[in-house]
Amino acid sequence: MGVESSCDETGIGFVRDGVLLGESLASSIEEHVRFGGVVPEIAARAHVQAMVPTMRTALDDAGLAWHEVGAVAVTAGPGLATALHVGVAAAKAAALALGVPLYGVHHLAGHAAADTLVHGPLPERSIVLIVSGGHTSLLAVDDLVRTPIRHLSDTLDDAAGEAFDKVARLLGLPYPGGPSVDLAARSGDRDAVRFTRPLTGSRDPALGFSFSGLKSAVARYLAAPRDPGISTEDVAASFQEAVADTVTRKAVLACQLEGVDTLVIVGGVAANSRIRALAEERCAAAGIELRVPPPRLCTDNGAMIAAIGDLLVREGARPSSSSIGARSSVPLELARIGE
Ligand code: KG4
Ligand code: ZN
């Protein structure tokens, strides 16, 4: 059983031998809309309320009974501390009651593992582009649970999802921003405004990411007198194009620099339609195999945590100690968290 509660989604999933047996997801997103962002205390209370019912519906979906659960994995970090604590406490209670091992896992390793549920085990070497609300990184991955994960680059400031959320607010589009921008961009012209591609100059780090300058460029564009012929949808499409162009270009370059022929794109922003389309185009042209999970498995869910837990169990990894706590910011090096 995988338990996810790092942000505003309460996710429970069941995975056995790399196969997703069933899952359930509850979201408190509606309660955050009027604040324009996730309010940690509200998210935590919603997790407390949703946790047991979500476990029950996921068990039903999987056609399992409690006594058939062999191990419990839980997101121990990174994420909102108050939200993480709910999942960790619930997972501990379940593991204790069932007498099964508990695994604290890294949320981002879970995002990467989500892809294995649809495309099977990762090859010996792959480049993983993580684009989420809190992180944007290029990772060199050999084995998700056996070998330490090497960071080729991490964003210098905002994450890609954060940029989508902030730009959506600037454009007056509803929270969460990513899906709103994606939707608006469908009827916009992506060439309407040429926003600068961040960190793509000859002196910039080739694989570096930075999105706060791009967000400011959109803010400046909107503050200046503008061509009445350019709509909100055009600006959304142009901003989205700048992000998609930058992340896909750098991800393909990372594969080439590392001599790796598989690219995996995961995290909430991997649900973005333009990033998916452009990545497909560019990977095909470069002879790189592209793996992107379906959108539902890109955004936070319990199945991805069950997937990484299942990999740890099958690898014979040591369970985490029963005194494990939540860690709101912990760099991704190993999939397993805790002593
Ligand atoms: O991975 P995730 O569900 O949560 C974190 O771990 O952060 O990612 C959430 C982020 C949010 O910033 C959201 O706006 C963004 O993913 N997102 C998208 C799309 N769907 C979700 N961004 C762009 N296009 C989308 N379709
Ligand atoms: Zn996430």
Side-chain angles (χ1 to χ4, degrees):
M1 175 167 79
V3 180
E4 158 63 30
S5 76
S6 66
C7 192
D8 54 357
E9 323 271 1
T10 313
I12 303 292
F14 291 94
V15 170
R16 181 170 53 208
D17 294 335
V19 176
L20 176 59
L21 304 176
E23 63 168 326
S24 182
L25 193 69
S27 175
S28 60
I29 215 150
E30 292 300 328
E31 297 177 59
H32 307 288
V33 170
R34 68 192 172 101
F35 300 103
V38 176
V39 181
E41 289 302 327
I42 293 177
R45 188 186 56 202
H47 287 308
V48 171
Q49 291 171 328
M51 189 57 72
V52 173
T54 309
M55 283 179 172
R56 289 221 174 95
T57 48
L59 266 176
D60 284 350
D61 188 48
L64 290 173
W66 275 118
H67 71 267
E68 292 173 285
V69 177
V72 179
V74 59
T75 301
L80 302 171
T82 54
L84 288 166
H85 284 139
V86 179
V88 170
K92 278 188 188 185
L96 185 67
L98 297 169
V100 300
L102 172 74
Y103 294 87
V105 301
H106 199 290
H107 179 78
L108 299 179
H111 270 304
D115 184 68
T116 65
L117 295 175
V118 272
H119 298 121
L122 290 180
E124 242 168 65
R125 297 177 70 209
S126 54
I127 295 296
V128 176
L129 168 67
I130 293 199
V131 271
S132 74
H135 298 84
T136 298
S137 304
L138 273 166
L139 311 169
V141 174
D142 298 337
D143 185 288
L144 261 182
V145 292
R146 230 175 290 154
T147 44
I149 290 162
R150 203 155 43 89
H151 288 236
L152 303 174
S153 91
D154 299 294
T155 182
L156 301 178
D157 40 58
D158 292 354
E162 205 176 339
F164 269 96
D165 294 333
K166 288 177 176 171
V167 165
R169 208 175 307 169
L170 291 171
L171 291 172
L173 297 171
Y175 177 84
S180 307
V181 170
D182 197 344
L183 188 67
R186 276 165 214 231
S187 46
D189 172 9
R190 57 178 176 253
D191 298 319
V193 189
R194 172 81 197 175
F195 290 117
T196 325
R197 281 30 176 172
L199 296 185
T200 50
S202 56
R203 291 201 196 151
D204 292 324
L207 301 179
F209 291 122
S210 160
F211 295 101
S212 88
L214 176 58
K215 170 207 64 193
S216 304
V218 176
R220 275 197 307 277
Y221 177 82
L222 293 172
R226 60 176 163 134
D227 179 346
I230 293 185
S231 65
T232 297
E233 287 75 15
D234 292 334
V235 181
S238 301
F239 157 75
Q240 178 173 276
E241 189 64 13
V243 177
D245 181 17
T246 309
V247 298
T248 56
R249 198 193 300 184
K250 292 192 183 228
V252 167
L253 181 62
C255 292
Q256 290 163 339
L257 293 175
E258 292 284 317
V260 170
D261 59 10
T262 303
L263 172 65
V264 189
I265 308 185
V266 295
V269 184
N272 183 266
S273 59
R274 182 59 185 153
I275 291 179
R276 298 172 80 95
L278 201 52
E280 218 163 276
E281 220 174 86
R282 289 183 170 171
C283 284
I288 293 167
E289 189 198 335
L290 175 66
R291 299 172 48 142
V292 195
R296 184 180 157 77
L297 286 176
C298 288
T299 44
D300 292 348
N301 62 83
M304 70 188 210
I305 303 305
I308 193 73
D310 169 63
L311 286 171
L312 285 164
V313 168
R314 284 192 282 147
E315 177 58 24
R318 198 158 48 88
S320 304
S321 137
S322 59
S323 63
I324 183 180
R327 294 175 63 183
S328 56
S329 60
V330 50
L332 173 59
E333 192 192 343
L334 296 168
R336 179 184 164 281
I337 291 183
E339 291 310 301

